[in-house]
Amino acid sequence: MKEPRTDGRTGAGRTPRTDVPAGTGQTPRTDGRTGRRGRGRAPQPYTRLTHPLVRDARDEPFRRAGWDEALDRVARELARARGAFGMFSCARATNEMNYVAQKFARVVMGTNNVDSCNRTCHAPSVAGLSAAFGSGGGTSSYEEIEHTDVILMWGSNARFAHPIFFQHVLKGIRGGARMYAVDPRRTSTAEWAESWLGLDVGTDIPLAHAIGREIIHAGLVNEAFVARATSGFEEYRALVEPWTLSLAQKVTGVPARAIRELAHAYARAERAQLCWTLGITEHHNGTDNVRALINLSLLTGHVGRYGAGLQPLRGQNNVQGGGDMGAIPNRLPGFQDILDPVAREKFESAWGAPVEPHYGLNLTEMFEAMEEGTLRAVYCIGENPAQSEADSEQALRRLRALDFLVVQDIFLTLTAEQAHVVLPATAGWAETEGTTTNSERRVQRVRRAVVPPGEAREDIDILCDLAARLGHQWKYADAEAVWNELRSLSPDHHGMTYARLEEHQGIQWPCPSPDRLEPGFLHGRLWESDPGLRGRRAPFGIVRHDPPVDLTDDAYPIRLTTGRRLDSYNTGVQSGGFASPLRRGEYIELSPEDAERYGVVVGERVQVASRRGAVVAPVWVDPALRPGLAFMTMHFPDEVDTNQLTIEANCPIAGTAEFKASAIRIDKLPVATVVR
Ligand SMILES: Nc1nc2c(c(=O)[nH]1)N[C@H]1C(S)=C(S)[C@@H](COP(=O)(O)OP(=O)(O)OC[C@H]3O[C@@H](n4cnc5c(=O)[nH]c(N)nc54)[C@H](O)[C@@H]3O)O[C@H]1N2
Ligand SMILES: Nc1nc2c(c(=O)[nH]1)N[C@H]1C(S)=C(S)[C@@H](COP(=O)(O)OP(=O)(O)OC[C@H]3O[C@@H](n4cnc5c(=O)[nH]c(N)nc54)[C@H](O)[C@@H]3O)O[C@H]1N2
Ligand SMILES: [Mo]
């Protein structure tokens, strides 16, 4: 079998970019076309944005501008855009920046239309956990995975996507914990598992229900816990009753005995952790999937105790914090409901401005509103939706149709290439003071360690400068001042001063008191013997199997799932283009059986088509894939734009698209080319 080249380039016949002179900062194309960046082109590193860029119309080239000119222009356009405005906030930037961004949307622009990439990612986890427990955070701390007996790693390739957390997992395994991996691919994570359950894409609910039924039938339910801490058990029992092991085997493709073994291991464990990620959430019924998993913890009492809990491993360094700071359309900072008049009034009096009394549009709905023409201006901070949205051709078209787009980023992304104004920001990591919040809800300080390039300014400064131009004078001496304003408004963060964050090397929320630390796990109250202190019961989720929207058939016979590799990051803006012995570019990964069936070899370029679009990609053969299943990443869109294939079928509760299930076919090219 021919090995592809490992120098990070995908080789032959590609011309390098000529429009980016080395070492001068990103110089945009000046040919007036903002067309699809480098389609089929060899990857090049992005260089940092160093100066504001402006243009009057999208068909003109950008020109460098001073900050005053650029911000005056943005202020003018935004003043006109009230009522038709949306903001995308950055899950990589600090809590302080996200706090100011949502305040900008709510106070300056008078809208709750603010959201981030959490929507494409773990929004179903937040929605599912909130529905069950009233709070959207993961319930455990990282260290607990070292002190648990059974680990379910469900739809998560943590070995690649959460390598630091995975070190804790490995310590747990070394200490005797047994891990079960539930993933259609035998991933690098699964290699460490006691057992791999290779289910068909989109059959997680049948699998979870069969596990639940087996636990019930084997008499392994934690009855005391179910009776005092949950509601809806009888309905749940009826719901899962049809899901016998043999039916589940038929629907999921997982052998009945493997399902039974997992059910018994999980239910009998003294403590068990259930971790999940996008294999669960990135489906048209992502929130239902999450509820189906939470049900298992309710059945067994594996939640609300040290070492037993639920962990949606979050994606970006600060996607948890972005939501906590209110950069979502339905919550004010500190996860306080927009619909709660008491919460609203508190913020209105602190901010001296009214807060819209209804939910705003989420990211997905904002894209729909662009289509309908009701959203005309977007302020995009540190997101690259032109390449990260499902059905990216459609997303790009919608962005291009906006009356005004301002992008604030550290690189000139494809999204930025569609903008009227591009503002160069400092990186939230290493160039900015502030805090971020990780998956275990731990708020930690980040510091400026390097000098930002050129005229790049901190995201917060840019926003405050714009707010001033639009009539709102916000005086923050530094990031700490922003944080202290947030602390005064969010009870969960109230006790976390910068000094305490330093002293404890990060503190987990909730932290209401300045002189006490709470336990690192949530929902201990479920175990409270005093019913008065136990709080609300956690309801079982009554959710039903609903297969992927994009059906496979004779025309599109292969199930494509998309995801990540260890060596690259998201749309590749921050990790692409650099030669690395670790990295190979984009491939369509097939099982050995399918490669043989379609008569293709490693490195051969083929056309990959879905019902949305088509791309050309070289083939890779991966024995971790089962026949009928293909895999691509989202990391090299400049080279092969995977999201032209994916379907915008969204979870109606969370708005997350079904990135994990498209139907495709592959066709040999008329003239065979093999990448060397
Ligand atoms: N190296 C690296 N790390 C990253 C990132 C990166 O780009 N690169 N991105 C970060 C971000 S934003 C996020 S959100 C996280 C994501 O982290 P993960 O969710 O772990 O990453 P993915 O590879 O997208 O998807 C995980 C697994 O879901 C499986 N899967 C697909 N369909 C199904 C299904 O129907 N059921 C089940 N059970 N599993 C399924 C896939 O085979 C895949 O192994 O990673 C973060 N960390
Ligand atoms: N096919 C497929 N598509 C997917 C997924 C999938 O699994 N499959 N996963 C989805 C998921 S989980 C996610 S989270 C999204 C990610 O989608 P995006 O968030 O749109 O993609 P990124 O490549 O992470 O873009 C991050 C941007 O932030 C900028 N940036 C970094 N730090 C800062 C900062 O401090 N300030 C500012 N202003 N900018 C900054 C970077 O330069 C970059 O342009 O993709 C989604 N798309
Ligand atoms: Mo993500």
Side-chain angles (χ1 to χ4, degrees):
M1 202 185 277
K2 191 174 307 111
E3 288 294 310
R5 52 193 299 173
T6 51
D7 61 0
R9 295 200 308 264
T10 49
R14 313 280 184 81
T15 41
R17 295 182 65 146
T18 50
D19 54 355
V20 184
T24 58
Q26 187 96 14
T27 306
R29 310 173 59 132
T30 49
D31 59 5
R33 290 205 319 268
T34 51
R36 201 85 200 181
R37 174 201 280 275
R39 182 184 276 161
R41 219 188 312 188
Q44 295 288 317
Y46 286 74
T47 45
R48 283 292 295 274
L49 285 166
T50 53
H51 296 82
L53 302 172
V54 300
R55 60 182 164 197
D56 294 330
R58 196 171 272 115
D59 55 3
E60 290 174 7
F62 282 120
R63 61 189 163 73
R64 252 182 207 195
W67 274 105
D68 276 334
E69 182 194 348
L71 292 181
D72 283 345
R73 169 80 185 290
V74 177
R76 234 176 17 248
E77 299 278 359
L78 294 192
R80 236 182 281 160
R82 281 208 183 79
F85 171 82
M87 173 170 261
F88 306 165
S89 188
C90 181
R92 284 139 296 262
T94 60
N95 284 323
E96 289 75 3
M97 129 71 202
N98 275 280
Y99 176 83
V100 173
Q102 60 82 36
K103 183 172 167 182
F104 185 94
R106 295 194 159 108
V107 172
V108 178
M109 298 304 295
T111 179
N112 291 316
N113 295 347
V114 53
D115 206 1
S116 79
C117 63
N118 79 83
R119 197 59 49 196
T120 61
C121 185
H122 266 295
S125 302
V126 176
L129 286 163
S130 299
F133 305 110
S135 155
T139 77
S140 301
S141 301
Y142 292 172
E143 68 164 57
E144 292 173 51
I145 204 97
E146 297 174 22
H147 305 284
T148 194
D149 306 307
V150 165
I151 301 166
L152 302 194
M153 198 56 82
W154 201 314
S156 163
N157 191 5
R159 164 83 182 79
F160 274 17
H162 297 90
I164 295 174
F165 175 74
F166 202 69
Q167 294 305 314
H168 297 275
V169 172
L170 289 179
K171 280 192 197 166
I173 292 173
R174 248 176 258 132
R178 282 175 297 154
M179 181 168 83
Y180 293 80
V182 184
D183 196 302
R185 302 182 305 142
R186 207 179 66 241
T187 58
S188 170
T189 303
E191 301 294 342
W192 294 89
E194 166 133 344
S195 164
W196 164 59
L197 284 75
L199 80 177
D200 288 343
V201 169
T203 62
D204 296 275
I205 290 177
L207 185 64
H209 283 3
I211 292 168
R213 181 186 185 277
E214 177 60 24
I215 290 171
I216 293 169
H217 279 253
L220 297 173
V221 174
N222 185 332
E223 280 167 14
F225 182 81
V226 167
R228 73 180 188 195
T230 73
S231 65
F233 173 69
E234 284 309 325
E235 208 183 333
Y236 176 72
R237 182 212 296 270
L239 174 79
V240 300
E241 185 52 30
W243 288 104
T244 60
L245 293 177
S246 62
L247 177 62
Q249 168 169 332
K250 216 164 100 195
V251 174
T252 66
V254 180
R257 64 173 160 72
I259 305 175
R260 183 174 180 280
E261 185 197 319
L262 185 154
H264 285 245
Y266 183 70
R268 286 181 198 278
E270 168 58 27
R271 294 161 302 183
Q273 292 274 346
L274 205 174
C275 307
W276 73 83
T277 53
L278 306 186
I280 282 300
T281 60
E282 283 183 341
H283 287 281
H284 76 284
N285 56 346
T287 306
D288 286 359
N289 280 344
V290 170
R291 296 297 301 274
L293 300 197
I294 293 173
N295 286 341
L296 300 180
S297 76
L298 298 180
L299 212 50
T300 52
H302 287 319
V303 62
R305 286 182 295 133
Y306 185 86
L310 298 162
Q311 299 230 39
L313 307 169
R314 302 298 301 260
Q316 319 271 351
N317 55 324
N318 199 33
V319 67
Q320 176 72 50
D324 297 344
M325 293 302 110
I328 42 176
N330 57 347
R331 292 286 182 274
L332 288 156
F335 220 68
Q336 299 172 77
D337 198 331
I338 298 267
L339 302 183
D340 174 2
V342 180
R344 261 197 335 266
E345 204 175 292
K346 178 171 68 172
F347 282 90
E348 286 172 341
S349 77
W351 290 344
V355 172
E356 282 274 271
H358 45 75
Y359 294 157
L361 303 178
N362 66 35
L363 191 74
T364 305
E365 291 163 342
M366 285 192 249
F367 270 93
E368 286 160 8
M370 290 179 209
E371 183 79 41
E372 289 155 13
T374 50
L375 194 87
R376 301 305 314 152
V378 164
Y379 191 157
C380 173
I381 308 177
E383 297 266 307
N384 186 20
Q387 295 182 318
S388 60
E389 285 287 300
D391 196 351
S392 54
E393 201 66 59
Q394 170 181 274
L396 189 64
R397 181 173 52 71
R398 290 170 173 179
L399 288 168
R400 280 186 177 147
L402 286 168
D403 292 339
F404 185 67
L405 174 64
V406 47
V407 172
Q408 181 168 312
D409 205 294
I410 57 178
F411 295 112
L412 189 75
T413 60
L414 179 66
T415 305
E417 285 183 20
Q418 314 313 314
H420 298 87
V421 178
V422 180
L423 303 173
T426 64
W429 193 80
E431 291 176 358
T432 309
E433 294 288 331
T435 61
T436 59
T437 309
N438 70 7
S439 283
E440 59 167 1
R441 298 168 275 103
R442 186 179 301 279
V443 179
Q444 302 177 90
R445 284 279 278 120
V446 290
R447 289 179 183 75
R448 173 180 277 212
V450 292
V451 180
E455 292 180 15
R457 292 178 63 187
E458 292 203 10
D459 287 301
I460 293 181
D461 288 349
I462 303 171
L463 285 161
C464 288
D465 208 331
L466 268 175
R469 282 172 158 82
L470 289 159
H472 297 264
Q473 309 296 330
W474 296 340
K475 293 272 173 279
Y476 298 113
D478 49 23
E480 187 170 10
V482 177
W483 183 248
N484 286 336
E485 179 173 313
L486 171 271
R487 286 203 306 119
S488 74
L489 293 162
S490 168
D492 280 350
H493 297 88
H494 183 67
M496 299 179 192
T497 58
Y498 268 23
R500 278 190 97 200
L501 290 174
E502 309 250 356
E503 184 193 340
H504 296 282
Q505 299 191 324
I507 299 176
Q508 288 166 283
W509 65 253
C511 179
S513 157
D515 41 41
R516 208 183 54 238
L517 289 183
E518 305 297 319
F521 61 87
L522 298 180
H523 314 314
R525 58 175 174 75
L526 293 171
W527 292 89
E528 190 58 63
S529 49
D530 179 345
L533 296 175
R534 206 178 294 142
R536 73 196 270 283
R537 287 162 178 273
F540 279 91
I542 304 306
V543 293
R544 293 187 170 76
H545 177 42
D546 191 9
V549 172
D550 205 18
L551 294 174
T552 50
D553 60 13
D554 289 346
Y556 299 95
I558 304 173
R559 176 58 76 209
L560 172 71
T561 196
T562 63
R564 289 159 174 79
R565 289 206 301 254
L566 177 63
D567 49 76
S568 297
Y569 181 69
N570 285 1
T571 63
V573 174
Q574 292 173 258
S575 60
F578 302 95
S580 156
L582 289 176
R583 189 190 307 121
R584 54 193 166 94
E586 190 62 278
Y587 284 78
I588 169 85
E589 303 182 6
L590 300 172
S591 67
E593 294 85 350
D594 284 340
E596 198 178 322
R597 176 176 337 156
Y598 297 108
V600 293
V601 295
V602 169
E604 177 176 345
R605 286 154 61 78
V606 295
Q607 174 168 284
V608 185
S610 77
R611 296 183 176 94
R612 272 74 49 201
V615 299
V616 171
V619 169
W620 181 266
V621 176
D622 185 355
L625 291 165
R626 291 169 311 133
L629 181 66
F631 182 77
M632 291 176 78
T633 79
M634 57 181 294
H635 299 315
F636 309 96
D638 294 349
E639 201 181 331
V640 178
D641 188 7
T642 303
N643 275 329
Q644 289 195 36
L645 304 171
T646 49
I647 182 170
E648 208 220 356
N650 300 313
C651 169
I653 302 166
T656 304
E658 196 151 61
F659 290 107
K660 292 291 184 257
S662 324
I664 57 159
R665 71 161 181 269
I666 62 166
D667 293 306
K668 282 177 85 81
L669 295 179
V671 181
T673 47
V674 175
V675 175
R676 279 165 225 291

